[in-house]
Amino acid sequence: MKNNIDKKAVKRGLLPYLFIALIFVGIFFFVNVMNKKVNVLTYNEFMNSLEEEKITELEIVTRGSGYTYEVRGTLEGYKTDETFFARLPLSEQVMKRIVEASADQSFKMNVKADPESSSFLLILVNVLPFVIFIGIAFWLFSRQVSGNKSSLDFGKSRAKLNPDTNKVTFEDVAGVKEEKEELKELIDFLKNPKKFQSLGARIPKGVLLVGPPGTGKTLLAKAVAGEADVPFYYISGSDFVELFVGVGASRVRDMFQQAKRNAPCLIFIDEIDAVGRQRGTGLGGGHDEREQTLNQLLTEMDGFGANEGIIIIAATNRPDVLDPALLRPGRFDRQVTVNLPDVKGREEILAVHAKNKKLAEGITLSNLAKRTPGFSGADLENLLNEAALLAVRRNKEVITMSEIDEATDRVLMGPAKASHKYSESDRKLVAYHEAGHAVIGLKLAHANDVQKVTIIPRGTAGGYNMMVPSEEKMCSTKTDLLEEITGLLGGRTAEEIVFGEITTGAHNDFEKATKIARSMVTEYGMSDLGPLQFEQQEGSVFLGRDYNKSQHFSNEVANEIDMEMRKIINDCHKRAEEIIKKNKDLLKLIAEALLEYETLTKEQIDYLVSNGKMPEEDNENYEAMSITKLREIAKEKDIKNYSKMSKSELLKELNG
C-alpha cells in the first residue's frame, strides 16, 4: 500500500516538470523557425531562377485538393538559414519543366505528399496545443484545490502517531525504577481495563511528569505505550497555539476525536506549560488564544466518561506556572517527579548507552557513575557519544579513560581552547589558584573530593577544579556548606598569599559562595538569626522569577542578614588562609606539577601528596606525560616550533 502511494506521489510530482519541458521544446522550435529567413518568390521569379540554373535544392509539396503546388528550396548565394517559398499553378506543363530542369541541372529535388492526408499528423498539429493548454490548466486547478484543502486542515490536530518500528519498552529506560513502578498500573489498565472496573477503581485520567530537562520524561511516556502496545500520539504544547483565535481549541477537539477512534491509546503532550499556564496573569491580562485552548483541554478531560481507554501523559520542568484547574483531581490526577539519577541510576543509564560502545579494559561503569554527580540521562548519553567521537578522531579501536575524561570536560565546560595563548605570569597565577582549591579539598574532611585539576582554558574559565562529593546525600549539614564555601575561596586565598595581589579570576567562585551563604541565612535557618525563613523561591509567572520577589522582613532584619552573610564568608576565608599557609609546600608542589603537566587526575594528585613527586611516565601514553617530556619527543620527531607549543598543541601534533 505504501509503495503504491509513493508511486502515485512520484507521478504527481513529475507532471509539472513534463509540462514545463513541453513548453520549452515548443519555444525552442518557435525560435528556430523565427530565426530562419524565408524569401517569398512569385511564379515568374521562380521560373527565371529555374532557367538561370540558380536552384540548388527544391522540395515540392503536392496537394490532395486545390489548384497549386507549394515549393521550397535554396538558391545560389543563400546563407545556411535562408530559404525561398513559392506557389505554382497545378499544371502538368509546370511540373514537366521542373522535372526537365532537374535532369539537366542535377539539383536535389524531393516530392512530398500533402500533410493534410496524414490523419496522425493532422491530429498532432491541430490537437496537441489544446491538450497541452488543458493539461496546464488542470494542473493549476489541482494545485489550487490542494491549497484550499490545506487551509481547511488548519484546525486539524498536529499530534503525530508514533510508528510501531520505533517501539520503546521499559528495558530502554534506566535510572527511574520508582517512576516505572508508578506507571505500571497505567499499562495494566490499557491492557485489561475490566480488572479495574470490576472493583470500581478509576484509573488516572492524566499523569504529569515533572523534572529537570534530560531526565527521560518523553522516553518514559513512549515506554508506557510500548509496554501496553497501544497507539502513541505525540504533540508539543506549542503546536496548539496559533495566531488566530480558536485554532488551538479546534486542534484539541480534533486530537481527542482521533484518540476516540483509536482507543485504547496514549496521548503525550510535551512542554505542556506552553499552553497550560495560569489564566488571567501577566501584564495586560492573558493570551486569549492560549486560554481558549486551555479551556478546551480542561473540558475534554472532564468528558473522559465517554473517552474510556484514553490516557494523557504530559511533561514539564515548570510545574509552578501551570493553572491550578489543570492539576486538580479528575484531570491530571497524579504527578510523577523524575529527578536526576543517583549513582546507581547513573550506572544503569550508562549500561544502556554503552551497549554498542567498545570500552577499554579497566573502565568500569560504576567508577564512571561516581565521577558524574548531577548528570542527567541525556548528559550521560552525550558523554559516551563524545568519548566515542574522540576515540575515532584519534584512530583508536576502543574508548579509553583519556577520551572519557576529555568528554566529561567537554560536557561540563566545553572544548579546550588549545589556541588560547597564556603568558607565563598568567599560567603561574592560574596554577596557584587551582592548586589552592585542591589543597582545601585535600585537607578538609567534609569538603568535596578532588577528581581533576587543570589549567587548560575551557569556556570562560582559565582552568578549573573538578570536585565531587565523597558520597551523595539527601541533605547537607551546616559543616558541609561551610567547608564548601571554604573550598570555593581557596583560589583567591592562594593568590593573596603567593602573589600578594588579587585578580578577577575568582568571580565565579564568589558567585557560588555568596549564593550558598545567603541560602544558609534566609532559607535554611543556619545563622544566629535563628530557624526562620526570610525568602522563598518564588516569582511572577510571566515577569520572571525574581522580578516581583516579595520581602517579608524589615530593613533592620535585612541589615542583619547582610551581617550574617559577611560573617560566614569572612570566617571561611580566614579558615582557608590558615590551611593554605600551613600547607604552603603542598600548594607549591601541586602548582608546579600543574605548570609541567597542565592536567592532574585524582590518582596523580594522591601519588603526589604521598610521595612528593609525580609517578613514572608511561612511554606509550602521551596524555600522562609532562610538557618537558613531550617537547623532547617532538624534537626527536623534527616537529617545528615545538618549544613554543602548549601541551594541548603538542598532543595534537604527536597524535596526528
Side-chain angles (χ1 to χ4, degrees):
M1 182 68 181
K2 186 177 180 182
N3 292 334
N4 292 335
I5 293 173
D6 292 341
K7 289 179 181 178
K8 290 179 181 178
V10 170
K11 290 179 181 178
R12 286 197 300 269
L14 289 176
L15 282 175
Y17 298 103
L18 180 62
F19 286 127
I20 292 171
L22 290 173
I23 291 171
F24 275 109
V25 169
I27 293 172
F28 175 76
F29 281 111
F30 177 76
V31 170
N32 283 343
V33 171
M34 291 299 294
N35 287 337
K36 290 184 178 181
K37 183 178 179 181
V38 180
N39 299 316
V40 180
L41 303 182
T42 63
Y43 170 74
N44 292 330
E45 288 173 340
F46 172 78
M47 297 305 294
N48 290 336
S49 299
L50 186 67
E51 292 175 359
E52 294 173 3
E53 301 182 359
K54 291 183 178 180
I55 296 176
T56 58
E57 187 175 349
L58 186 65
E59 180 182 280
I60 303 173
V61 180
T62 62
R63 290 290 180 182
S65 60
Y67 304 97
T68 61
Y69 290 114
E70 290 182 359
V71 294
R72 297 181 180 85
T74 56
L75 301 178
E76 290 181 357
Y78 272 20
K79 297 179 181 179
T80 305
D81 57 350
E82 189 175 3
T83 61
F84 71 82
F85 171 80
R87 291 184 184 274
L88 307 180
L90 185 63
S91 167
E92 185 177 339
Q93 183 181 359
V94 172
M95 181 57 67
K96 183 178 179 181
R97 291 181 62 182
I98 293 174
V99 172
E100 291 175 352
S102 172
D104 295 338
Q105 302 173 20
S106 300
F107 58 79
K108 294 180 181 179
M109 186 176 72
N110 185 25
V111 180
K112 286 187 176 182
D114 182 6
E116 293 180 358
S117 63
S118 173
S119 301
F120 175 75
L121 189 61
L122 180 66
I123 294 173
L124 186 67
V125 172
N126 294 290
V127 178
L128 184 61
F130 293 99
V131 172
I132 294 174
F133 176 76
I134 293 170
I136 294 173
F138 177 76
W139 175 62
L140 293 174
F141 178 74
S142 63
R143 286 290 298 269
Q144 185 68 25
V145 170
S146 64
N148 292 335
K149 186 177 179 182
S150 298
S151 64
L152 293 174
D153 290 342
F154 194 64
K156 297 294 183 182
S157 171
R158 296 294 190 266
K160 299 175 183 177
L161 183 62
N162 194 52
D164 294 337
T165 53
N166 297 331
K167 188 177 292 184
V168 178
T169 64
F170 277 165
E171 292 182 2
D172 303 308
V173 186
V176 284
K177 183 178 179 181
E178 291 76 13
E179 290 82 353
K180 287 194 287 188
E181 291 294 332
E182 280 287 314
L183 297 173
K184 276 185 179 179
E185 66 182 22
L186 298 182
I187 300 170
D188 293 339
F189 171 76
L190 290 170
K191 285 184 174 180
N192 187 14
K194 292 182 179 179
K195 181 173 72 173
F196 292 84
Q197 294 168 355
S198 63
L199 294 176
R202 180 181 62 81
I203 201 70
K205 297 178 180 179
V207 177
L208 183 67
L209 302 179
V210 179
T215 49
K217 299 184 290 294
T218 303
L219 197 63
L220 264 176
K222 287 183 179 179
V224 172
E227 290 285 342
D229 196 21
V230 296
F232 176 79
Y233 286 94
Y234 172 89
I235 191 169
S236 173
S238 60
D239 288 333
F240 292 113
V241 182
E242 286 287 352
L243 174 66
F244 305 106
V245 176
V247 174
S250 173
R251 290 179 178 177
V252 171
R253 288 191 294 269
D254 186 65
M255 180 180 69
F256 278 93
Q257 287 174 4
Q258 290 184 32
K260 288 177 186 178
R261 291 193 293 267
N262 293 278
C265 66
L266 189 147
I267 300 174
F268 177 65
I269 306 176
D270 198 10
E271 305 295 345
I272 194 173
D273 51 274
V275 70
R277 291 190 174 217
Q278 295 178 20
R279 292 167 289 183
T281 55
L283 291 174
H287 186 291
D288 192 45
E289 160 63 359
R290 183 188 55 75
E291 291 189 2
Q292 283 199 28
T293 306
L294 175 58
N295 291 337
Q296 187 63 44
L297 180 62
L298 297 175
T299 303
E300 292 289 342
M301 292 189 74
D302 267 345
F304 257 31
N307 295 353
E308 295 295 341
I310 302 174
I311 293 178
I312 295 182
I313 297 181
T316 181
N317 49 30
R318 291 289 308 275
D320 54 310
V321 304
L322 295 179
D323 194 273
L326 196 63
L327 303 178
R328 73 159 176 82
R331 286 173 181 147
F332 282 100
D333 307 81
R334 183 174 299 175
Q335 291 189 30
V336 178
T337 302
V338 187
N339 284 320
L340 293 171
D342 57 10
V343 63
K344 186 178 179 182
R346 292 195 297 274
E347 184 177 353
E348 294 173 356
I349 294 170
L350 287 168
V352 171
H353 295 302
K355 286 180 180 178
N356 61 340
K357 307 287 192 304
K358 295 181 180 179
L359 301 178
E361 294 182 6
I363 297 179
T364 59
L365 298 180
S366 58
N367 289 336
L368 185 55
K370 292 176 183 177
R371 294 161 56 97
T372 52
F375 277 47
S376 66
D379 291 331
L380 294 171
E381 191 274 337
N382 189 31
L383 186 150
L384 288 179
N385 185 61
E386 286 286 344
L389 292 174
L390 286 168
V392 172
R393 200 177 302 169
R394 295 174 180 179
N395 297 319
K396 293 185 177 181
E397 296 181 356
V398 293
I399 302 170
T400 66
M401 202 63 207
S402 174
E403 284 75 46
I404 291 177
D405 282 338
E406 175 67 18
T408 306
D409 294 341
R410 283 171 172 262
V411 173
L412 289 173
M413 304 289 293
K417 295 185 177 180
S419 61
H420 185 77
K421 297 298 181 184
Y422 268 129
S423 65
E424 285 302 317
S425 59
D426 283 343
R427 287 185 79 247
K428 189 174 182 180
L429 181 69
V430 173
Y432 274 94
H433 180 101
E434 300 303 333
H437 289 304
V439 169
I440 300 296
L442 290 168
K443 294 301 177 181
L444 287 179
H446 296 277
N448 293 338
D449 291 339
V450 180
Q451 291 291 329
K452 185 177 184 180
V453 186
T454 180
I455 60 172
I456 298 174
R458 290 180 184 272
T460 58
Y464 80 98
N465 196 314
M466 183 190 292
M467 302 176 72
V468 300
S470 55
E471 59 179 1
E472 295 185 30
K473 302 177 181 178
M474 290 294 295
C475 299
S476 297
T477 65
K478 182 178 180 180
T479 302
D480 293 336
L481 296 176
L482 290 173
E483 293 195 354
E484 186 175 350
I485 295 174
T486 305
L488 289 168
L489 299 175
R492 164 59 71 86
T493 306
E495 293 176 14
E496 294 173 340
I497 294 174
V498 176
F499 301 101
E501 186 62 271
I502 56 177
T503 68
T504 59
H507 170 269
N508 187 247
D509 298 332
F510 294 158
E511 181 182 353
K512 293 177 182 177
T514 304
K515 185 177 180 180
I516 295 171
R518 187 167 191 87
S519 297
M520 289 176 66
V521 177
T522 61
E523 295 180 42
Y524 307 146
M526 294 180 177
S527 70
D528 293 339
L529 295 180
L532 297 173
Q533 189 176 63
F534 299 101
E535 291 179 351
Q536 296 177 349
Q537 295 293 335
E538 61 181 16
S540 173
V541 175
F542 287 94
L543 301 181
R545 296 180 186 271
D546 301 319
Y547 185 90
N548 199 25
K549 204 168 186 178
S550 57
Q551 181 174 317
H552 303 293
F553 47 83
S554 64
N555 292 332
E556 289 78 7
V557 174
N559 182 58
E560 290 183 28
I561 290 172
D562 293 339
M563 295 289 289
E564 287 295 323
M565 288 174 56
R566 191 176 295 113
K567 180 183 176 183
I568 290 173
I569 297 294
N570 288 338
D571 289 346
C572 291
H573 182 255
K574 288 178 181 178
R575 191 175 183 193
E577 190 175 4
E578 292 172 1
I579 294 171
I580 290 179
K581 284 182 177 179
K582 187 176 179 181
N583 297 276
K584 203 168 182 180
D585 292 339
L586 179 60
L587 176 73
K588 183 179 179 181
L589 185 65
I590 295 175
E592 289 180 350
L594 280 171
L595 290 170
E596 187 68 18
Y597 289 83
E598 290 191 344
T599 300
L600 300 178
T601 63
K602 176 177 172 56
E603 293 76 16
Q604 289 174 324
I605 293 172
D606 291 342
Y607 189 92
L608 187 65
V609 173
S610 302
N611 300 279
K613 63 177 182 179
M614 289 290 289
E616 294 295 328
E617 294 179 352
D618 184 358
N619 292 329
E620 296 181 358
N621 186 5
Y622 289 150
E623 284 81 2
M625 291 183 183
S626 65
I627 192 169
T628 304
K629 183 67 174 177
L630 289 174
R631 284 173 178 168
E632 291 176 1
I633 297 173
K635 183 179 180 181
E636 293 174 0
K637 294 189 175 185
D638 294 329
I639 295 176
K640 296 179 180 180
N641 299 322
Y642 68 89
S643 59
K644 297 180 180 180
M645 292 183 182
S646 65
K647 184 175 180 180
S648 301
E649 292 170 326
L650 287 168
L651 288 172
K652 187 176 180 180
E653 290 290 332
L654 294 171
N655 288 323

